Amino acid sequence: MNPTTHRSPGRAAARALAAMSLAAASFLAPTGAHAADEAGSGLDSATETAAAEEAAHEASNTQADNAAITDATTTVTTDPATDNADSADTTDATVTTDAATDNAATTATTDAAATATDATAMASAATDAATASGTGGVTTCNVMRTPPDGTTATLNRGHADIFDLTSDAAGALTLRIKEDATGSGVLREPEKTLLAIPASTLTQIPDAVSQTTGAPAAAYLLGQSGDNQATVLWPGWDTLGIAAGGYDAARFHITYSGPADGRIYAFTSSFAEGLKAVTADGSYDLAPGGDDIDQPYAAHKHVNWLFTRAGRYTLTVQASAWTPGNTGTANAVAPTRTYTIDVADEATCLAEAGLTPGGNGNPAAPAPGVDPGSTDAQSGAGQSGADGDSTPDTTDRSASDTGAGANDPAQTSGTGLGAGSSGGAGTAYGVTTSGTTTSGARTTTSSGERCIPTRVTREATGTESAAPASSQAPANTARTTLTVSVGEGASGNATEGHFDLGPAIENGSLVARIKDDRTQPAQWVDPSTLTFALGEAARITAPADLGFVATVGSSVWLIPSTQIAGVPWLGLNSQREEIVTGTTGGVQFTLDAVEGPGRVAVFNAGALGSGVGEHVFDGPGSSYTLGPNTHAHQNWVFTAPGTYTLTISMRVTPTGAALTGSGYGSSGEVTATGALGTSSRPMASQVVGRTASGKDCDLSLAITGADTIPLAVVSLTWALTGAACVWVSSIGRRRNARAFS
């Protein structure tokens, strides 16, 4: 690849000064408009309607609809007639969350937002000057009222490779957007697509990250893990398509303008590599005047994106590609493309500029929960409580509650970033000192011990023997086995590249498939045809955060949540077209059995892509629900060298007739192993409830989330609450009596 062109010596000093300025600004800039925006984040995102582009555009010109620019409204508008030939055969969809469909409780919030936008429309030229870009552009807060001319789609959630670089057989490069929010692999022209980031993504940046990267204490975060892609955009890039032209390396040269003091940061974070810049010169932020992001091998990649200010960013991107072994000038250059990214909303942008939406120059009051100096502020990518406010949940949440594998940063072990982490057993979701519990349903027994789903093998009862297990998995269930070779000398036919495990429907049967992106277009293959090899590139020293599965300081082998060279990148997927259209809800993945020389754990990344977030699999019997139309990557840890076989089942809920199951035999919750017991009855495998001390317990009493509270405690709590109310009431009556005596 073309050697990196280094910047002038003054570049580092300028970056340091900018970082200090941004850090100071993050503490001083008012953030009052976030309160209204966060209040609107609870709107019902499940409402989806189809609308024509002309009607949507006309509606956006009315002041009443200006409030819909906030993250309370999710809009994807398209015009099939304007699609280019490359995507002409793709049916564009319109996804709209309309505040009007919500209940009356949200009316006041919507009216307030509309009123604020009406006032903004009367902002003076002084407001424009105050909010003009400090980087040489003319982008202002009030330009965010409407999408740029010619926009046919607004994307504000879901998976999107915003830099999708492909080549034809002749070597010509094309740079576009490829998104999965409105379909599967929908191609869009950057100039016709607005990328929208809600104000709810304002995130407290940990001190360790700020100190290393120079990022401010708070910024708008799009995390590399995609844990909230059901509601927030998950942008990345994809260069796998350049192989058709004989290329293997690519570069994206990016320049941009944006709001005053607005900067963009891009970096990865993982157990394997720690914090790592993605720019060619090793800087964590992108210079507005121009920066390069190099992708030295064909890959599909996601990183952490930080935007330091609310407002509209306009990016100019030029992509280049190199053939293997070429270290000189690029072999091909794609036409320059223009991207528009709106961060937060106009009211938030004005508030950060020290102005109220009315443009009168009065500073806005800071919103609770987002003070850059507060350790209680949000620490996840737009995480919000169950009631839709900005307060992160502090109770455990099951995978079924979190949709697309969302994790709660407040519940991660250690720092979530590998710096000064305490880690240890029993510090993360559903983890006990035995390390065998699941992140899903659980309960507390009368003795106070947790009831843990545990897979046991036993001899079948007479009744079970009389009705032997079927040779097929139950209806709507696909079961498969993954083979993983670990350690020095590991061998297999899947040594690196991008892979997703997920269900598919073929001839009325639910089957397990792996999406293999090593060829373009990707192929969905039988998992039994692949052996994943984790060699030296996958070996790391276990940090404290992995204390729940491995000895701290020992060697473990890791498939990280972000792609690295020399390691297969395995994720979970619910995006097959027939799964999206023919099932409802997510896909429940269950780790049925593990055979191998060591332990296996699978978990979502914590805040900013590192640390331990929500647990996916902690052992046989543990389950995890992946949200609908989602593709996400977890961390897979193996603690000892050797060969592992992981038996995994996937269960869906079809919208029509039941699907025939696939995989080896099972009957209800009991699975025949094929062996005979001492009484000549079949041996059976089953998930049952066990406490850490080995006692039987009833899993049917399990709940999702926080542990069950004994009835006596609940009764006592209500009794004390009632007594307090009576006491306060009596005091009030005595005071009133004295006042009138």
Side-chain angles (χ1 to χ4, degrees):
M1 166 172 274
N2 187 24
T4 301
T5 302
H6 295 281
R7 296 195 180 95
S8 64
R11 169 71 165 150
R15 283 184 179 276
L17 179 60
M20 289 188 290
S21 301
L22 287 172
S26 69
F27 281 91
L28 299 175
T31 56
H34 290 296
D37 183 84
E38 292 294 336
S41 66
L43 297 178
D44 184 9
S45 61
T47 306
E48 297 188 353
T49 61
E53 177 200 2
E54 181 178 358
H57 184 68
E58 181 179 353
S60 69
N61 288 331
T62 66
Q63 290 182 340
D65 281 345
N66 281 334
I69 301 300
T70 68
D71 69 326
T73 300
T74 303
T75 306
V76 177
T77 59
T78 64
D79 185 354
T82 61
D83 287 343
N84 57 56
D86 293 315
S87 57
D89 58 351
T90 300
T91 302
D92 287 340
T94 298
V95 180
T96 303
T97 299
D98 191 345
T101 64
D102 286 278
N103 57 42
T106 64
T107 303
T109 300
T110 304
D111 290 344
T115 302
T117 309
D118 289 342
T120 303
M122 298 182 289
S124 64
T127 302
D128 293 347
T131 58
S133 170
T135 58
V138 293
T139 301
T140 59
C141 293
N142 58 17
V143 79
M144 300 173 69
R145 295 174 194 162
T146 58
D149 290 341
T151 297
T152 59
T154 296
L155 301 178
N156 60 8
R157 61 176 175 81
H159 174 251
D161 294 319
I162 59 174
F163 303 152
D164 181 58
L165 185 62
T166 59
S167 171
D168 60 20
L173 296 176
T174 302
L175 180 61
R176 287 172 296 198
I177 295 172
K178 181 173 64 177
E179 53 95 354
D180 295 317
T182 65
S184 179
V186 178
L187 296 175
R188 299 196 180 277
E189 301 304 318
E191 292 80 6
K192 298 180 180 180
T193 307
L194 175 65
L195 305 176
I197 302 171
S200 61
T201 58
L202 182 64
T203 301
Q204 185 80 14
I205 307 302
D207 290 342
V209 177
S210 292
Q211 291 169 6
T212 300
T213 64
Y220 300 91
L221 169 67
L222 299 181
Q224 71 182 33
S225 64
D227 56 353
N228 54 358
Q229 62 187 282
T231 56
V232 173
L233 192 66
W234 187 32
W237 61 76
D238 190 338
T239 64
L240 296 170
I242 65 176
Y247 311 117
D248 68 339
R251 167 175 289 176
F252 302 104
H253 181 71
I254 303 171
T255 61
Y256 66 94
S257 62
D261 300 323
R263 300 296 283 268
I264 302 174
Y265 286 72
F267 56 91
T268 60
S269 180
S270 69
F271 283 118
E273 299 178 315
L275 291 171
K276 184 177 180 181
V278 296
T279 58
D281 70 348
S283 56
Y284 291 93
D285 66 323
L286 305 180
D291 236 324
D292 295 324
I293 292 179
D294 285 347
Q295 183 56 57
Y297 54 92
H300 170 204
K301 192 159 187 173
H302 288 271
V303 303
N304 298 300
W305 299 91
L306 298 181
F307 297 82
T308 63
R309 306 287 287 178
R312 175 164 290 177
Y313 294 76
T314 302
L315 282 63
T316 300
V317 182
Q318 186 170 62
S320 308
W322 282 257
T323 55
N326 180 17
T327 59
T329 304
N331 297 97
V333 178
T336 300
R337 308 308 300 263
T338 301
Y339 294 76
T340 303
I341 303 176
D342 276 0
V343 177
D345 51 80
E346 184 185 15
T348 301
C349 183
L350 285 168
E352 288 191 355
L355 304 170
T356 63
N360 58 12
N362 296 325
V370 294
D371 177 10
S374 170
T375 57
D376 294 328
Q378 288 173 284
S379 60
Q383 301 294 337
S384 60
D387 56 357
D389 62 19
S390 60
T391 305
D393 289 342
T394 56
T395 58
D396 291 348
R397 294 179 293 172
S398 76
S400 61
D401 288 333
T402 57
N407 52 41
D408 189 340
Q411 298 294 314
T412 57
S413 65
T415 65
L417 290 156
S421 170
S422 59
T427 59
Y429 282 105
V431 180
T432 66
T433 53
S434 65
T436 58
T437 186
T438 175
S439 61
R442 65 190 182 193
T443 189
T444 302
T445 66
S446 58
S447 63
E449 293 185 283
R450 284 178 176 172
C451 191
I452 304 167
T454 307
R455 182 166 290 277
V456 299
T457 300
R458 59 173 176 76
E459 194 167 10
T461 64
T463 302
E464 292 167 343
S465 299
S470 167
S471 61
Q472 290 295 107
N476 307 320
T477 302
R479 185 174 286 114
T480 190
T481 299
L482 301 182
T483 303
V484 184
S485 176
V486 173
E488 185 178 358
S491 62
N493 56 356
T495 58
E496 63 180 346
H498 177 217
F499 306 88
D500 287 334
L501 172 66
I505 301 174
E506 298 178 2
N507 300 319
S509 296
L510 189 73
V511 297
R513 292 290 180 259
I514 284 183
K515 183 183 180 185
D516 186 345
D517 264 337
R518 293 176 298 176
T519 59
Q520 294 295 307
Q523 302 294 316
W524 290 81
V525 302
D526 188 332
S528 65
T529 64
L530 298 175
T531 296
F532 297 94
L534 305 184
E536 187 61 24
R539 187 175 67 85
I540 66 168
T541 299
D545 279 355
L546 294 184
F548 69 94
V549 67
T551 301
V552 177
S554 65
S555 288
V556 297
W557 288 260
L558 173 74
I559 297 177
S561 59
T562 186
Q563 186 174 4
I564 61 176
V567 179
W569 193 34
L570 179 61
L572 303 180
N573 190 299
S574 61
Q575 291 185 320
R576 276 279 292 234
E577 183 176 357
E578 72 274 15
I579 296 297
V580 173
T581 60
T583 67
T584 183
V587 176
Q588 184 186 52
F589 289 81
T590 299
L591 181 62
D592 291 322
V594 176
E595 294 182 8
R599 297 182 63 188
V600 178
V602 183
F603 56 89
N604 286 321
L608 281 167
S610 189
V612 177
E614 184 181 22
H615 286 226
V616 175
F617 299 140
D618 280 318
S622 52
S623 295
Y624 174 80
T625 299
L626 183 71
N629 193 22
T630 297
H631 131 237
H633 286 266
Q634 298 75 28
N635 295 278
W636 303 65
V637 176
F638 300 82
T639 64
T643 299
Y644 294 77
T645 56
L646 283 62
T647 302
I648 297 175
S649 61
M650 290 152 274
R651 184 174 179 83
V652 303
T653 302
T655 54
L659 302 167
T660 301
S662 67
Y664 61 85
S666 103
S667 177
E669 294 182 347
V670 180
T671 301
T673 66
L676 293 178
T678 56
S679 301
S680 298
R681 287 199 295 263
M683 295 297 292
S685 176
Q686 183 181 23
V687 175
V688 299
R690 290 281 192 275
T691 66
S693 61
K695 297 178 180 179
D696 292 338
C697 53
D698 189 356
L699 276 178
S700 66
L701 300 177
I703 64 168
T704 295
D707 293 334
T708 301
I709 301 174
L711 181 61
V713 176
V714 175
S715 301
L716 179 60
T717 300
W718 279 108
L720 291 174
T721 302
C725 291
V726 172
W727 179 63
V728 171
S729 177
S730 64
I731 292 176
R733 286 196 299 270
R734 287 197 298 270
R735 287 179 176 175
N736 288 337
R738 287 197 300 269
F740 287 97
S741 61

